[in-house]
Amino acid sequence: MRQRNLTTFRKLLHERRQELMSEALGTMHGMGETREQFPDPTDRASLEGNRNLTLRIRDRERKLLSKIDEALGRIDDGTYGVCEECGGQIGIERLKARPVTTLCIECKSSQEAEERRRQFS
Ligand SMILES: [Zn+2]
């Protein structure tokens, strides 16, 4: 991948990381995204359900954070944008939409098809 693109993605990933950190802080104080996603109090389940939701979001954020860190590591070691399954280049458009991805669109599609097959067998 070209140096110019790498710089763009590094910046993008750093921004995502920053956003995620402030979201995570918002979650801890019971504010931020969750409130906007569930504005109606009747949509919220019991307090227990809310706590589970918060935990799930924080788990999701944690996973995404480590994916972002891994992606930044791949930029540093020069493997960013390379599909870990087939070794081919991941499309720039796909990376822009999902900068933490490690699979090209073909491998992702076949992986999803495989998961669906497993689910129904
Ligand atoms: Zn691939």
Side-chain angles (χ1 to χ4, degrees):
M1 187 181 285
R2 288 206 199 100
Q3 194 57 42
R4 188 161 52 90
N5 286 333
L6 285 176
T7 310
T8 306
F9 283 115
R10 192 195 299 271
K11 191 164 167 283
L12 193 75
L13 285 160
H14 273 296
E15 278 167 9
R16 283 279 171 93
R17 199 175 195 286
Q18 209 58 41
E19 274 170 29
L20 211 59
M21 293 301 265
S22 48
E23 263 178 45
L25 285 171
T27 307
M28 266 189 273
H29 296 296
M31 299 189 305
E33 289 299 302
T34 50
R35 189 162 289 181
E36 280 152 45
Q37 276 167 14
F38 303 93
D40 188 345
T42 55
D43 282 349
R44 298 178 181 217
S46 62
L47 192 65
E48 188 59 34
N50 259 341
R51 199 155 45 219
N52 286 341
L53 182 68
T54 308
L55 284 175
R56 205 160 59 226
I57 287 169
R58 286 164 76 175
D59 188 49
R60 194 186 65 104
E61 284 167 345
R62 222 177 9 248
K63 279 182 187 147
L64 192 53
L65 263 181
S66 68
K67 279 186 176 177
I68 289 173
D69 286 341
E70 281 166 24
L72 285 167
R74 286 197 299 277
I75 288 180
D76 288 337
D77 67 21
T79 59
Y80 185 76
V82 177
C83 174
E84 66 178 8
E85 195 68 30
C86 69
Q89 286 287 324
I90 303 172
I92 291 287
E93 289 309 314
R94 173 162 166 72
L95 286 169
K96 276 182 187 159
R98 226 180 127 59
V100 297
T101 193
T102 56
L103 293 173
C104 72
I105 192 72
E106 287 84 8
C107 292
K108 183 67 188 166
S109 308
S110 59
Q111 191 189 61
E112 276 171 0
E114 181 62 32
E115 271 164 23
R116 269 196 298 277
R117 253 200 308 278
R118 245 176 291 161
Q119 235 167 13
F120 291 112
S121 62

